[in-house]
Amino acid sequence: MGAAGGTGGTSGGGPGGEPAGVPEAVEPAFPEGWSDPDYHAAVVDLLGLLALTELVAFERLADDAALAPTLPDKAALAGMAVAEYGHFVVLRDRLEAMGVDPAAAMEPFVAPVEAFHERTAPGDWLEGLVKAYVGDGIGIDFYREITAYVDPATRALVVGVLADTGHAEFVVGRVRAAIAADPRVAGRLALWGRRLVGEALGQAQRVAAERDALSTLLVGGAERPGADLAEMGRMLARLTEAHTRRMAALGLSA
Amino acid sequence: MGAAGGTGGTSGGGPGGEPAGVPEAVEPAFPEGWSDPDYHAAVVDLLGLLALTELVAFERLADDAALAPTLPDKAALAGMAVAEYGHFVVLRDRLEAMGVDPAAAMEPFVAPVEAFHERTAPGDWLEGLVKAYVGDGIGIDFYREITAYVDPATRALVVGVLADTGHAEFVVGRVRAAIAADPRVAGRLALWGRRLVGEALGQAQRVAAERDALSTLLVGGAERPGADLAEMGRMLARLTEAHTRRMAALGLSA
């Protein structure tokens, strides 16, 4: 849980060094310039989406554990699932500290997240591994990009829960070994990787269209930094490059 | 992980107060009277079976989480799964400290444990809850009975990992509420409970027949206490009574 560990119950006015005045309400204050209601709604959306993503990642990795060919592989996958659950708890606790019902914050994203997983149910152990690595990789990169547009306390929390869970190295080793044993699986898994990206983009567009607060996070506000069109283009380019690098690490063409 | 926390890497000769002599080998010594190879094999079997049970409990609770009707229920089940995984880690670490490959210790029990779960795949959320409560309850009672016949360090470890994971209270509340809402489900779930016990006994007999070391644990050895036939009968009576109490707590007839 790393950087997120110390942020649980703090309700100070951010790291800006403001004098500690009267005790504050339950809801942690955002630093100046970050206090408008739209921004608050956007952060609740962001944390709700991320909490749901972690809870579902737990479930999915636990499912992958059931498909594992050996007991040590099963235990390794289960351990990664447990790490994701730890991240979920950090996010749930923060939402509660903000006075927000975590289930209510997660609810709007259940349909698109479930739709993504229904459309990309892995056919076997290797497809599950590629999905965990490639899919989570894009998600993590995207959330990291978004942290450029949030207040420092939220940024520290999000960066903390995005910490690698040991996942990447494990998956790369297993997938490369499978390709070495039977080079034909590379073509099938490369197609699978492309399908994952397509489905992820489809559901991301659905979320962006339905959740105004969340999508305006990127655009900024009167006193908040935002991204212009050129910066959005650069962000997409960075996400695409990182995806291509991950596929290459697996020995697959993107 | 409670009581098991402090036992991880200790290799002292048990709590009997023997003088600390030369540094011991990697393998933790058993106290006097507990050192014959048959007893060692029986403890490896016991810890291997228990480790596998916990790992599979993790998987099964994670599956139940996927069936949960609400996000808070899902998170609660996931949290219980995570607690089971913590127990698995304690057992795996102890097997490693004994110089035993955990996967090899677990392997002999994969077939009967999987057979049990295949024959008792829950049809819905409520059947999953009853299975978790009633099935795990019998397992926990049985392992606790067995701790009467093992050395003190093994006993402390096993009792520690059998600690309740918050499970029981959660299940009782959910099942009673479901019966209150629709009394007809009580009949179906009572039948289900009986089927679970029958299948569990069937697989337990299979394990007892195939694993001599484990089944002789109960009978004892030259310098080890064991159970006579009368005590075995009393043990079965205690297990049955506890099962009936659990079914009654759910509002079901055993």
Side-chain angles (χ1 to χ4, degrees):
Chain A
M1 297 197 258
T7 60
T10 60
S11 61
E18 300 92 331
V22 284
E24 288 171 281
V26 174
E27 189 166 329
F30 289 113
E32 246 180 279
W34 301 93
S35 53
D36 65 291
D38 286 353
Y39 177 69
H40 183 274
V43 169
V44 169
D45 264 11
L46 176 64
L47 300 184
L49 172 58
L50 198 42
L52 182 69
T53 304
E54 296 284 2
L55 188 56
V56 172
F58 162 85
E59 271 182 25
R60 210 196 42 221
L61 286 165
D63 274 354
D64 290 346
L67 294 173
T70 70
L71 287 171
D73 280 350
K74 190 188 281 292
L77 265 287
M80 293 174 207
V82 168
E84 305 282 9
Y85 180 78
H87 295 162
F88 160 73
V89 169
V90 169
L91 292 156
R92 183 187 61 188
D93 291 352
R94 167 63 67 99
L95 283 164
E96 277 173 358
M98 291 170 74
V100 174
D101 172 19
M106 292 158 74
E107 197 59 54
F109 305 105
V110 168
V113 168
E114 281 189 350
F116 171 72
H117 288 295
E118 270 162 28
R119 284 156 176 276
T120 58
D124 63 12
W125 159 249
L126 285 174
E127 289 190 0
L129 290 186
V130 170
K131 180 176 169 182
Y133 178 61
V134 165
D136 289 4
I138 293 178
I140 287 171
D141 285 346
F142 173 71
Y143 289 120
R144 270 216 192 96
E145 291 279 353
I146 277 211
T147 61
Y149 308 104
V150 300
D151 62 283
T154 303
R155 184 179 310 141
L157 182 84
V158 171
V159 169
V161 301
L162 295 179
D164 183 28
T165 54
H167 220 119
E169 206 184 328
F170 179 85
V171 172
V172 169
R174 289 298 186 280
V175 172
R176 293 194 81 101
I179 293 172
D182 177 3
R184 286 169 307 174
V185 304
R188 172 167 70 87
L189 293 179
L191 269 177
W192 173 244
R194 263 165 266 168
R195 186 155 142 232
L196 291 170
V197 175
E199 294 290 351
L201 283 179
Q203 296 306 324
Q205 279 166 352
R206 177 174 164 190
V207 167
E210 285 174 10
R211 305 301 294 180
D212 277 350
L214 191 56
S215 46
T216 56
L217 199 58
L218 277 173
V219 182
E223 298 173 84
R224 271 189 296 121
D228 59 15
L229 210 57
E231 176 49 28
M232 296 249 200
R234 285 192 294 273
M235 187 181 103
L236 275 178
R238 284 192 297 270
L239 292 174
T240 312
E241 278 162 28
H243 168 67
T244 306
R245 269 200 307 277
R246 271 187 297 269
M247 292 291 277
L250 293 174
L252 303 173
S253 58
Chain B
M1 298 196 260
T7 62
T10 59
S11 62
E18 301 91 331
V22 286
E24 289 172 278
V26 175
E27 188 166 331
F30 289 113
E32 248 180 280
W34 301 93
S35 53
D36 64 291
D38 286 352
Y39 177 69
H40 183 272
V43 169
V44 169
D45 264 10
L46 177 63
L47 300 183
L49 171 57
L50 199 42
L52 182 69
T53 303
E54 296 284 2
L55 189 55
V56 172
F58 162 84
E59 272 182 25
R60 208 196 43 221
L61 286 166
D63 274 354
D64 290 345
L67 293 174
T70 70
L71 287 171
D73 280 350
K74 191 188 280 290
L77 265 286
M80 292 174 207
V82 168
E84 305 282 9
Y85 180 79
H87 295 163
F88 159 74
V89 170
V90 170
L91 292 156
R92 182 186 61 187
D93 291 352
R94 168 62 67 97
L95 284 164
E96 278 173 357
M98 291 171 74
V100 174
D101 173 17
M106 293 158 74
E107 197 61 53
F109 305 105
V110 169
V113 168
E114 282 190 349
F116 172 71
H117 288 294
E118 270 163 29
R119 284 156 175 278
T120 58
D124 63 12
W125 160 248
L126 286 174
E127 289 189 1
L129 289 185
V130 170
K131 179 175 170 182
Y133 178 61
V134 165
D136 289 5
I138 293 179
I140 286 171
D141 285 346
F142 174 71
Y143 289 121
R144 268 214 193 100
E145 292 280 352
I146 277 210
T147 61
Y149 308 103
V150 299
D151 62 283
T154 303
R155 184 179 311 142
L157 182 84
V158 171
V159 169
V161 301
L162 296 179
D164 183 28
T165 54
H167 220 116
E169 207 184 328
F170 179 84
V171 172
V172 169
R174 290 298 186 279
V175 172
R176 293 194 81 101
I179 293 173
D182 178 5
R184 285 169 306 173
V185 304
R188 172 168 69 88
L189 293 179
L191 269 177
W192 174 244
R194 263 165 265 167
R195 189 158 139 229
L196 290 170
V197 175
E199 295 289 352
L201 282 179
Q203 297 306 325
Q205 280 167 351
R206 177 173 165 190
V207 167
E210 287 174 8
R211 306 300 294 180
D212 277 350
L214 191 55
S215 45
T216 55
L217 198 58
L218 276 173
V219 183
E223 298 173 83
R224 271 189 296 121
D228 60 15
L229 211 57
E231 175 51 26
M232 296 246 201
R234 285 192 292 272
M235 187 181 104
L236 275 178
R238 284 192 297 271
L239 292 175
T240 312
E241 277 161 29
H243 169 66
T244 306
R245 270 199 306 276
R246 271 187 297 270
M247 292 292 277
L250 293 174
L252 302 173
S253 58

